[in-house]
Amino acid sequence: IHMATIQASESVKTRIGAVAVDEGIRHGRLTIYPVRERVASDEHRLSYATLEDALRAGQVEVLELPGASVPGLRLRSVSAAPVLVLDGEEVIGGLQNRIANASYLVGQGEVTLPVSCVEQGRWSYQHEFRSGEAMMARMRYAKHFSVTDSLRAGGRHTSDQGVVWDMVQEKLVSEGVSSPTSSLHDVYAAKAAVVHDYAESLTYPEGAVGFVAAIGDTIVGAEIFDQAGTAKALWPRLMRSFAADALDPRERDAAEAPARDKAQGLLDEAAHAGKVEVFASAAMGEDVRLGDAALHGNALVYEGTPVHISVFRMDPPTSGSMWQARRARQWAEPHELNVEAENELDSADA
């Protein structure tokens, strides 16, 4: 096994083990447990910009591929610092709205980023791409499996586009939102007031490097960053995405939120995950995938630093038989997938 692979894998587990959760902050069905470093560190921090800030400063441009392609977008950067694109981050415009299939760190120049469409009913140019919201955690969880599947099969960060569209449609129906183009962004537009109320009630606590989230009485996931500045910058967007999950009428109300030790338990499980796989990122660094029977996650690691870690512990989505078939394959032994078989599944999806 290549030493860089071992180092990337260990760096993720070490980072998760180096943080601890605070008492939860609750609003409605959503409880957020801030995550802080156990020991304050003066180590050198990576320097990078968020995609939203880089777009606002005119340092990056998002473009359609030549000839246009649903699962890919070009990102052209003149930024002196790398640019962080968050897993599930939405870019609005172009021929259709897309979301990033993983977290990417992009250097100067031009790179093609694997994305998924979250607006099935439009294929006509609207305007230049701009920063949008973030895909809800439950959808990112479903996407995680198909991207992991694709990485194993051929090293590509490709999602199952059919599953993504199914999940968007399911969300539109469950929330009673009408969208002429089946756009995920229309959920946020329709629920803007209540989603923003959640975000304003669950504001960033200084010093936090991430959080664990619970919906009702269930711990559902965690987001951890390499530094507090990144967590602070992305906190409102992530609060809105988890709020959009919590609003789902299928979610249960609960008299009490889970105890803090339940939130800490999620991180402890992730730090000792039995299955860890490392792949090359589509941009800079490595993409680490971890999981076991109950927990799954992914991380972007650059120069030994886990820039962003996501952990999910949820009930499997129920958006169709293809999802269930893939779900059964992905974490069964052995891990290796046959490329020809994967291509057959992709053809069947199309």
Side-chain angles (χ1 to χ4, degrees):
I1 301 175
H2 196 278
M3 183 59 67
T5 296
I6 297 175
Q7 291 175 340
S9 170
E10 288 303 312
S11 72
V12 173
K13 291 190 173 185
T14 298
R15 178 58 175 167
I16 296 172
V19 300
V21 300
D22 280 352
E23 290 294 341
I25 308 164
R26 187 176 185 185
H27 181 75
R29 290 179 179 155
L30 182 60
T31 305
I32 296 298
Y33 305 81
V35 168
R36 301 180 186 276
E37 294 175 330
R38 293 181 185 273
V39 179
S41 173
D42 295 325
E43 292 183 7
H44 171 70
R45 300 293 187 184
L46 294 176
S47 178
Y48 53 84
T50 65
L51 176 61
E52 182 176 19
D53 286 346
L55 283 169
R56 187 183 297 116
Q59 295 176 328
V60 298
E61 186 178 12
V62 181
L63 303 163
E64 297 284 358
L65 295 174
S69 172
V70 171
L73 287 173
R74 290 183 293 160
L75 193 146
R76 183 182 295 159
S77 174
V78 296
S79 172
V83 175
L84 175 64
V85 181
L86 189 70
D87 177 33
E89 186 166 1
E90 181 188 41
V91 285
I92 302 170
L95 291 169
Q96 54 187 194
N97 300 347
R98 310 323 208 283
I99 57 93
N101 280 352
S103 286
Y104 309 116
L105 198 61
V106 179
Q108 283 190 343
E110 187 173 301
V111 65
T112 297
L113 297 181
V115 296
S116 297
C117 170
V118 287
E119 187 182 20
Q120 186 175 6
R122 178 173 68 88
W123 187 250
S124 58
Y125 196 82
Q126 191 177 71
H127 49 66
E128 297 296 325
F129 283 106
R130 67 177 188 271
S131 181
E133 292 290 347
M135 175 180 262
M136 296 82 173
R138 289 201 182 279
M139 294 186 192
R140 286 172 53 213
Y141 174 64
K143 176 179 62 62
H144 163 87
F145 287 100
S146 61
V147 172
T148 302
D149 194 359
S150 179
L151 284 168
R152 291 174 179 156
R156 301 171 297 157
H157 285 76
T158 305
S159 73
D160 186 322
Q161 182 61 68
V163 166
V164 173
W165 278 331
D166 285 351
M167 295 292 287
V168 172
Q169 189 61 42
E170 184 179 304
K171 185 65 173 175
L172 288 165
V173 170
S174 69
E175 297 289 352
V177 174
S178 176
S179 174
T181 60
S182 296
S183 172
L184 180 64
H185 195 75
D186 285 344
V187 174
Y188 282 103
K191 304 293 181 179
V194 65
V195 165
H196 281 273
D197 183 52
Y198 266 85
E200 290 174 2
S201 299
L202 299 167
T203 55
Y204 172 76
E206 287 299 325
V209 294
F211 61 88
V212 175
I215 297 176
D217 59 1
T218 304
I219 301 290
V220 297
E223 309 287 343
I224 303 171
F225 296 95
D226 65 314
Q227 53 194 283
T230 308
K232 184 175 184 177
L234 297 173
W235 191 276
R237 175 184 280 117
L238 287 168
M239 289 303 105
R240 293 192 295 270
S241 72
F242 276 87
D245 268 330
L247 291 175
D248 196 303
R250 295 167 295 182
E251 295 292 350
R252 299 188 305 270
D253 293 313
E256 295 183 359
R260 181 174 64 171
D261 64 344
K262 298 293 185 182
Q264 184 63 53
L266 176 71
L267 301 187
D268 294 343
E269 288 178 45
H272 297 91
K275 301 175 185 177
V276 182
E277 300 166 277
V278 181
F279 305 92
S281 171
M284 302 163 64
E286 294 84 36
D287 185 315
V288 178
R289 303 270 151 166
L290 57 88
D292 53 32
L295 172 149
H296 303 280
N298 50 267
L300 168 64
V301 178
Y302 177 66
E303 294 186 345
T305 298
V307 179
H308 178 218
I309 303 170
S310 293
V311 179
F312 306 102
R313 186 168 67 194
M314 303 181 184
D315 294 332
T318 56
S319 60
S321 58
M322 182 58 71
W323 159 258
Q324 297 295 351
R326 289 186 183 276
R327 172 68 175 85
R329 294 187 312 127
Q330 282 151 357
W331 293 92
E333 299 291 349
H335 295 320
E336 291 75 20
L337 295 179
N338 182 280
V339 175
E340 286 74 22
E342 173 71 13
N343 290 336
E344 287 176 9
L345 277 171
D346 290 338
S347 297
D349 290 348

